Amino acid sequence: MSSRELGDEISKSRIETLTDGVFAIVMTLLVLEIAVPQLSNSEVAAELTKELLELWPVLLSYATSFIILGFFWIAHDDQFHYIKRANRILLWITIFYLMFVAFVPFSTSLIGEYGDQQISVIIYGINISIVGFWEYVLWRYATKDHHLVDSDLDPTFITIMSKRFLLGPTIYLIAVAISFVSTQVSLVLFIATPLYFLVSARKDKSWFWFTKKNR
């Protein structure tokens, strides 16, 4: 193995380590945004249940964002199963990708507190759309002309995965557009999208893991 190849391999490992660390912190920060109701001893018995029930929008936004981030992390892990080499451009794509991942706790908190406000829906939708877009850019850059992947990686597989990486951002941008008509419908789309990916992931699981296992 040449010194150049060794350096690339180390860079790939460091990118994966950085990504794992950022996702771990960001996903932890999501729950830290949920504040425990502050009540006096005399109010607890009468008000605590009510205060907890009023947290449901915050809890829903937390759960939605946690699952969405989980899909982003899984997608990144899947990408790096096929990406065999790394360079500075890939590193910078990852840094911009993680910059918007790190913004998710703020946009989640915003939509949890002010989900009925269009600006909150727009900020949240654009945030997660950009994360998905950078994931697509990373995959396209790595697979274009088999630049950072094995030369025998199936072009059909590359195309299918590219379309899958674009699907999420497209739906989230549609949700942003719909917010000009109804913020409630936008929120439903944010919640429904990860559920759709759960179903589609199960449907494609056997083919995908067969492909992955044989790499």
Side-chain angles (χ1 to χ4, degrees):
M1 179 180 288
S2 69
S3 59
R4 182 178 178 278
E5 291 172 330
L6 182 61
D8 285 346
E9 184 65 30
I10 292 172
S11 296
K12 179 191 169 183
S13 299
R14 293 188 70 183
I15 290 172
E16 291 175 296
T17 301
L18 173 63
T19 302
D20 289 346
V22 171
F23 268 92
I25 293 169
V26 169
M27 294 172 85
T28 301
L29 286 175
L30 287 176
V31 74
L32 295 180
E33 293 294 327
I34 304 173
V36 174
Q38 300 299 308
L39 301 170
S40 65
N41 291 337
S42 61
E43 295 175 316
V44 170
E47 298 292 330
L48 183 56
T49 300
K50 176 187 172 185
E51 292 287 333
L52 289 174
L53 289 174
E54 288 178 354
L55 285 176
W56 76 264
V58 177
L59 294 172
L60 184 60
S61 65
Y62 155 75
T64 302
S65 292
F66 198 95
I67 294 171
I68 288 173
L69 284 173
F71 276 113
F72 283 141
W73 181 85
I74 291 168
H76 191 274
D77 179 65
D78 290 340
Q79 286 181 345
F80 271 72
H81 176 80
Y82 296 100
I83 294 172
K84 304 301 182 183
R85 298 171 292 281
N87 58 23
R88 285 193 175 273
I89 294 177
L90 188 76
L91 175 61
W92 277 107
I93 291 173
T94 303
I95 287 173
F96 282 111
Y97 166 69
L98 293 176
M99 179 174 70
F100 289 97
V101 168
F103 193 75
V104 171
F106 171 78
S107 63
T108 299
S109 180
L110 190 64
I111 203 170
E113 291 290 340
Y114 306 105
D116 58 337
Q117 299 298 309
Q118 185 188 13
I119 186 63
S120 301
V121 173
I122 290 174
I123 291 173
Y124 182 79
I126 290 177
N127 184 187
I128 56 178
S129 295
I130 292 175
V131 174
F133 171 74
W134 277 110
E135 206 157 54
Y136 167 78
V137 169
L138 191 152
W139 178 249
R140 286 294 296 166
Y141 174 74
T143 58
K144 183 176 173 57
D145 300 323
H146 291 78
H147 184 45
L148 299 177
V149 298
D150 286 342
S151 58
D152 61 345
L153 185 60
D154 187 356
T156 301
F157 174 77
I158 292 173
T159 301
I160 290 172
M161 294 305 293
S162 295
K163 291 178 180 178
R164 286 180 66 85
F165 287 130
L166 272 181
L167 182 59
T170 301
I171 295 174
Y172 297 135
L173 288 177
I174 290 172
V176 170
I178 290 175
S179 72
F180 287 88
V181 178
S182 171
T183 57
Q184 296 303 313
V185 175
S186 298
L187 295 175
V188 169
L189 273 177
F190 291 146
I191 297 167
T193 301
L195 297 178
Y196 164 78
F197 279 112
L198 276 172
V199 173
S200 64
R202 286 186 61 84
K203 189 171 72 171
D204 295 340
K205 184 178 179 182
S206 58
W207 175 77
F208 176 79
W209 284 105
F210 175 78
T211 307
K212 191 171 182 178
K213 206 165 55 172
N214 285 278
R215 296 305 304 169

